Amino acid sequence: MGEQNSGGGRKATEAPKRAPGGAAAGGRKAAAGAGAGGAKKAAAAKKKAVPAKSPATKKAAGAKTAAKKAATTKAATKKAGATNVTTKKAIKKKPVAVPEKGTADVKGASGVKTVSAKPPAAESRTALVRRARRINRELAEVFPYAHPELDFDNPFQLVVATVLSAQTTDLRVNQTTPALFAKYPTPEDLAGANPEEVEEILRPTGFFRAKTKSVMGLSKALVENYGGEVPGRLEELVKLPGVGRKTAFVVLGNAFGRPGITVDTHFQRLVRRWQWTEQTDPDKIEAEIGALFPKSDWTDLSHHVIWHGRRICHARKPACGACPIAPLCPAYGEGETDPEKAKKLLKYEKGGFPGQRLNPPQSYLDAGGKPAPPLGAG
């Protein structure tokens, strides 16, 4: 019993000795725990210590972000818009194919190059004069052999043929006048002819009764007033029956070498199509066009314009794709612009067909032109 008490006493004594060590360990653990907890709390406290954004700051940041996004969107939109505009401009200014400057080749259209054909916008007087004269120069290269397309050997034959050419083609007149002049070679002969016989000869030209009256009347006037000779003055020519300013200028320019502008139907429509004038009255057209050119150019200018109108620049369907002056023409595109299709629209020597004169000048034949067939030959 004593040993038990004694052992129990020792155990009791030993227990308090271990307690300080355990307490120290516990203290260290507690300290470590306290240290870890303190660190966490310090971190949390530090985190909490970061000042929170005020509503105003948040609003400013949001506005800045929105502005940045808007700027990005605007830039993208602007870039897209610029692309679209560039594309539209590219489409709008898409170049068209028009022929190069024409040549004297009568067998076909010239080559093709890509240019932008634009109508003259608010064209000044000086610019109009320059463009008009350049067109005439270009046509002179295309039609170096241009001439009056009526067969004649003297002024009398020319004035009669020109009167007969009203409301018909020069070809039909050229096919008719050989028989007329073979039977009535002088003004005296025609003035004393049987009207019915003359009418029969002139029937193919149309309006043969009125034309018979005119040519017989002018023949009589030549005999009675000018000794059977055709006068070389405008004032005297227009007094003859059936002779107006157009006929007078044909005679003056081609039989007497005196400059004149021939305002026929082809000339009228082309000078308006080219925007040389807006006039519709032949006398006013003559005056306005005459002011654009030196007087010495008037006769050849008339030939160039009329020839171009008969062969290439047709009234209903101009051959724009085969036109040598397309880059200078404000009406380019009104007709066929495809070169191959336009080439098929060309007439007379430009299309490989016979011309209108039965006896054309040698220069025309040398350039590849063909004489017209006589009446009844096809």
Side-chain angles (χ1 to χ4, degrees), residues 28 42 121-122 241 256 275 283 297 303:
R28 286 194 298 268
F256 293 98
Q275 295 182 15
D283 292 347
D297 291 350
H303 291 324

Side-chain angles (χ1 to χ4, degrees), residues 50-76:
V50 176
K53 293 182 180 180
S54 65
T57 305
K58 290 182 178 181
K59 186 176 181 180
K64 186 175 181 181
T65 304
K68 188 174 181 180
K69 289 182 178 180
T72 304
T73 305
K74 185 176 181 180

Side-chain angles (χ1 to χ4, degrees), residues 98-113 134-145 308 312 320-328 346 350:
V98 300
E100 292 179 349
K101 183 173 69 174
T103 65
D105 183 8
V106 299
K107 294 183 179 181
S110 52
V112 175
K113 66 180 181 180
R134 184 179 174 187
I135 286 177
N136 187 41
R137 291 194 300 270
E138 299 283 352
L139 293 180
E141 294 186 18
V142 178
F143 305 109
Y145 44 79
H308 187 64
I312 300 175
C320 294
C323 181
I325 60 168
L328 301 172
L346 302 179
K350 287 300 183 184

Side-chain angles (χ1 to χ4, degrees), residues 61-101:
K64 186 175 181 181
T65 304
K68 188 174 181 180
K69 289 182 178 180
T72 304
T73 305
K74 185 176 181 180
T77 304
K78 185 175 181 181
K79 184 176 180 180
T83 303
N84 292 337
V85 170
T86 303
T87 305
K88 289 180 180 178
K89 286 184 178 179
I91 295 173
K92 185 177 181 181
K93 295 185 178 181
K94 182 179 180 181
V96 293
V98 300
E100 292 179 349
K101 183 173 69 174

Side-chain angles (χ1 to χ4, degrees), residues 209-243:
R209 292 189 178 89
K211 291 181 179 180
T212 295
K213 185 177 180 180
S214 293
V215 298
M216 291 186 67
L218 74 84
S219 297
K220 184 178 180 180
L222 291 176
V223 172
E224 294 178 352
N225 303 324
Y226 303 101
E229 299 292 331
V230 177
R233 291 171 54 86
L234 175 65
E235 297 79 4
E236 296 171 335
L237 282 170
V238 294
K239 294 178 182 178
L240 299 174
V243 177

Side-chain angles (χ1 to χ4, degrees), residues 23 30 51 60 84 94 110 210 249-250 257 269 298 304 312 331 343 358:
N84 292 337
K94 182 179 180 181
S110 52
F249 280 128
V250 170
R269 64 180 177 80
W298 288 357
H304 298 155
I312 300 175
K343 189 175 179 180
L358 277 65

